[in-house]
Amino acid sequence: MLNLNRQPGAQPQPQQPPVPAQPHPAPHAAAPPQAQLPGSGYVSPIPVRRAHLGHALASEWTKIKSVRSTVWTLGVMIVLVVGIGALTGLGISASGTDLSGASPLGFGMFGMLLGLMCVITLGVLCVSSEYGTGMIRTTLTACPSRARVLAAKAIVFFLLSFVVTAVTSAVVALILSGMLGGQGGAEPSGTDWFKATVGVSLYVAVLGLLALAVGALLRHSAGAITIMIGLVLLPLVLAMFMMAESLSDLREWLFEYSIPNQLGTMYSNTVTMSGPSGWEPLWIMAGVTAVVLGGAFVALNQRDV
């Protein structure tokens, strides 16, 4: 464009094109936190907290409640214990059998004897399934303290199995007491109720803890479950086929200390008239479990994954 107001004789000057306005520089963003300070090592911007047993317990609780094996084993256990207990009470009530002073709570033993197989299976799977899937490497990488990992597994499993068994056995005791109350049975005392619910639940939970320890030692689900089922049933089966007189002492000992007879002692419904009595079966099982669980701690610390 030409300038029309120029002086006469002056050379026309081309008009400079408008210069676009320069954008104002954006304000500087806040500087990120310095991850590395001069003269010092790396400092993580994420707060680091020291891990303790509570973190391991939270991790094991998350795992045990999120796997299907927990729901299936405990669900089948509840169905077996409550179902067989109710059917037993219904059958005895319908037949009109005179209990002759026997405690009606003792008939809950039949369902619990089958239900403890489910608790044993869950105890083994709490440890051995992680070895089967390779999850144990992740677990021990996140928590290098192997004793803490096994302790957390044992605590979470024991509390879960105890609570579920206590609620289930209490339901069965109420059913049997209501059905068989007027058939000549003895009125259960407070001690009988406590042993048939809390005592039995402690015994079953400790037996499941023994299965967990065996699973930690063997690191194989099928092998550990087979050994535990054999431990529960084999002494009683062997004693039934020992007919020779020379084996009478061994046969009597197997009857007295077999797990079905010890469970019956907790229900005051024993197979034999001798052997452990009162709370002795619980102390025997607790001692055996403490020894095997101690061996599992030692083996887990010494072996590689």
Side-chain angles (χ1 to χ4, degrees):
M1 297 181 60
L2 299 178
N3 187 356
L4 300 179
N5 297 326
R6 68 179 183 274
Q7 297 294 328
Q11 295 296 327
Q13 297 294 330
Q15 188 173 6
Q16 296 296 328
V19 178
Q22 296 293 332
H24 296 286
H28 293 288
Q34 295 296 326
Q36 186 169 6
L37 300 178
S40 63
Y42 175 78
V43 178
S44 174
I46 303 174
V48 178
R49 292 180 297 179
R50 188 179 182 83
H52 50 74
L53 182 61
H55 296 129
L57 290 174
S59 172
E60 295 302 327
W61 170 245
T62 302
K63 283 189 285 187
I64 200 171
K65 74 177 183 180
S66 60
V67 295
R68 295 180 180 177
S69 59
T70 303
V71 177
W72 277 104
T73 51
L74 294 182
V76 172
M77 178 257 188
I78 293 172
V79 171
L80 286 175
V81 175
V82 176
I84 294 177
L87 288 176
T88 303
L90 186 62
I92 296 175
S93 177
S95 63
T97 303
D98 187 3
L99 298 182
S100 303
S103 173
L105 304 183
F107 295 100
M109 185 192 74
F110 305 112
M112 188 60 71
L113 187 58
L114 292 178
L116 65 85
M117 299 294 182
C118 303
V119 179
I120 287 173
T121 303
L122 180 60
V124 171
L125 292 179
C126 281
V127 176
S128 61
S129 62
E130 290 203 33
Y131 283 97
T133 60
M135 183 68 183
I136 191 67
R137 298 186 183 91
T138 305
T139 300
L140 295 181
T141 300
C143 182
S145 176
R146 302 185 176 191
R148 186 188 303 163
V149 170
L150 187 56
K153 288 181 180 295
I155 293 172
V156 170
F157 167 77
F158 179 82
L159 292 178
L160 177 63
S161 57
F162 171 75
V163 170
V164 173
T165 308
V167 173
T168 307
S169 59
V171 171
V172 174
L174 290 173
I175 292 174
L176 291 173
S177 179
M179 285 184 175
L180 306 177
Q183 294 194 215
E187 186 67 25
S189 63
T191 304
D192 295 334
W193 276 95
F194 190 72
K195 282 186 66 178
T197 53
V198 178
V200 168
S201 303
L202 285 173
Y203 185 84
V204 172
V206 172
L207 184 61
L209 202 58
L210 175 62
L212 185 147
V214 173
L217 286 172
L218 296 185
R219 301 188 293 184
H220 192 270
S221 301
I225 292 173
T226 302
I227 288 177
M228 288 304 302
I229 292 177
L231 179 66
V232 172
L233 298 179
L234 190 59
L236 186 61
V237 174
L238 286 178
M240 293 172 63
F241 289 96
M242 288 183 178
M243 303 298 180
E245 186 63 26
S246 58
L247 299 176
S248 59
D249 292 339
L250 178 59
R251 179 178 65 243
E252 190 68 19
W253 186 85
L254 290 176
F255 269 128
E256 291 174 351
Y257 288 92
S258 64
I259 289 179
N261 190 56
Q262 293 189 41
L263 184 64
T265 302
M266 300 302 297
Y267 274 109
S268 302
N269 187 15
T270 58
V271 178
T272 63
M273 300 303 295
S274 57
S277 60
W279 291 83
E280 291 179 0
L282 179 60
W283 312 139
I284 294 173
M285 187 57 62
V288 173
T289 302
V291 172
V292 179
L293 192 59
F297 273 103
V298 174
L300 188 61
N301 283 323
Q302 292 182 348
R303 292 188 303 199
D304 195 4
V305 296

